[in-house]
Amino acid sequence: MKALERYSLYEIEQLRKLKAWQKKMQQSPGIIDKLGSRVQKKINSYIPEKIHDALTAVIKKMIEAVLFTSEFVKPAVVTNKSMQEIEQSVETRMEYYRSTAAVEGGVTGFAGILGSVADFPLLLAIKIKFMFDVAAMYGYDTSNLKERVFLLYVFQLAFSNPVKRASVYERLAHWSQYSQQIPDDLNSMDWRDFQQQYRDYLDIAKLAQMLPGIGAAVGVVVNYRLLNQLHKTAIMCYRMRRFGELDKELSERN
């Protein structure tokens, strides 16, 4: 119990939630998870190759923009705030992005398959901008290249299938060690798996958005849920870092 005395009541509650989430992230994929992966591959085979190529190109450009341009590096880093204050700010910001994504999904879903293809890069940009805001609110400077790599791994974890999830989680859980292995030349890193995982995760959810008549309604619901998924994963990953850094700081003092 003494170890918990360093935390506020709010932090103790969030630490409990974090531990439960970490346990889930480390679970081995079950039969249903593996079956879902096979179903996903089957669905992919029905999607025209031109659509696959277009979506992969969009993701590749997003990764390059995050890593090598200043397009997203804008939020001012927030300092000297409690975790509760930080997460209240994140929740407020989330409401804005979630509403934006839902409206955008409804508009593009109304247009059927062409609109859904257009929705893909728009939704991706909304998610990435939200992630940069979250990083800054937790006090991390995204002008630092390794912070942008961390952000991409958080994104990957949010949209990885259970078969790949544990390996991505391990990198984030041991970020201080893993980040030292990141090469100075990020062009040498292979992001193809990231592209595949994100694209595959969205395929089932987005197929219904392409159907005439119901596409608009589906687009609203799907985009809303996808932002929720990213929100929860981002919160947990940054909590994991903050608690780890607090523990290290307190250990060094004692």
Side-chain angles (χ1 to χ4, degrees):
M1 291 295 293
K2 279 190 174 181
L4 295 178
E5 291 177 1
R6 68 188 68 169
Y7 300 129
S8 67
L9 290 176
Y10 178 85
E11 288 171 331
I12 291 171
E13 176 62 17
Q14 305 322 311
L15 183 59
R16 181 187 65 79
K17 293 178 182 178
L18 174 62
K19 296 296 183 185
W21 176 82
Q22 288 178 298
K23 184 177 180 180
K24 180 180 178 181
M25 290 298 103
Q26 296 174 81
Q27 289 176 346
S28 300
I31 294 174
I32 294 177
D33 294 325
K34 293 177 181 177
L35 178 61
S37 182
R38 289 198 293 269
V39 170
Q40 184 66 69
K41 289 180 181 178
K42 189 67 175 176
I43 289 175
N44 282 344
S45 68
Y46 294 129
I47 298 175
E49 195 60 34
K50 287 184 179 180
I51 299 295
H52 280 299
D53 291 343
L55 299 185
T56 299
V58 169
I59 299 171
K60 184 174 184 292
K61 287 184 180 299
M62 180 274 290
I63 293 171
E64 291 173 349
V66 170
L67 295 178
F68 304 117
T69 76
S70 60
E71 179 182 352
F72 294 103
V73 189
K74 293 179 181 178
V77 176
V78 176
T79 57
N80 300 320
K81 280 195 174 185
S82 69
M83 184 173 287
Q84 185 170 5
E85 290 172 323
I86 289 168
E87 295 189 349
Q88 286 172 343
S89 297
V90 170
E91 189 61 37
T92 299
R93 197 68 181 143
M94 177 60 188
E95 287 299 327
Y96 165 75
Y97 280 110
R98 191 160 46 197
S99 298
T100 302
V103 170
E104 181 268 322
V107 172
T108 53
F110 185 78
I113 187 167
L114 293 177
S116 295
V117 172
D119 167 68
F120 194 83
L122 294 174
L123 179 61
L124 199 56
I126 290 170
K127 290 176 180 175
I128 292 298
K129 288 178 180 178
F130 168 69
M131 285 295 302
F132 271 85
D133 282 357
V134 172
M137 288 177 186
Y138 274 95
Y140 296 100
D141 185 1
T142 51
S143 64
N144 182 309
L145 193 58
K146 290 186 178 181
E147 288 300 332
R148 301 203 291 276
V149 176
F150 179 85
L151 182 152
L152 286 175
Y153 277 123
V154 172
F155 194 92
Q156 184 179 23
L157 181 62
F159 303 113
S160 285
N161 67 51
V163 177
K164 292 282 188 178
R165 186 172 58 201
S167 61
V168 180
Y169 166 79
E170 284 301 314
R171 290 179 178 179
L172 292 165
H174 302 95
W175 183 252
S176 60
Q177 295 98 321
Y178 178 74
S179 62
Q180 296 175 16
Q181 304 171 27
I182 295 173
D184 293 330
D185 180 13
L186 291 179
N187 286 299
S188 65
M189 294 185 72
D190 186 357
W191 291 99
R192 283 176 297 179
D193 186 60
F194 176 98
Q195 296 167 24
Q196 183 71 38
Q197 285 295 309
Y198 178 64
R199 192 187 67 186
D200 287 355
Y201 185 94
L202 294 186
D203 282 342
I204 290 177
K206 285 295 185 182
L207 279 178
Q209 190 176 338
M210 299 180 184
L211 299 176
I214 67 168
V218 171
V220 171
V221 174
V222 168
N223 282 11
Y224 190 92
R225 289 182 176 176
L226 289 172
L227 261 292
N228 276 343
Q229 178 69 16
L230 181 60
H231 171 239
K232 180 178 179 180
T233 305
I235 289 288
M236 291 300 179
C237 288
Y238 281 107
R239 280 178 186 168
M240 186 163 59
R241 275 187 84 178
R242 285 289 295 262
F243 280 123
E245 290 166 0
L246 280 171
D247 287 343
K248 182 180 179 182
E249 181 183 335
L250 290 167
S251 296
E252 290 173 349
R253 288 181 186 176
N254 297 331

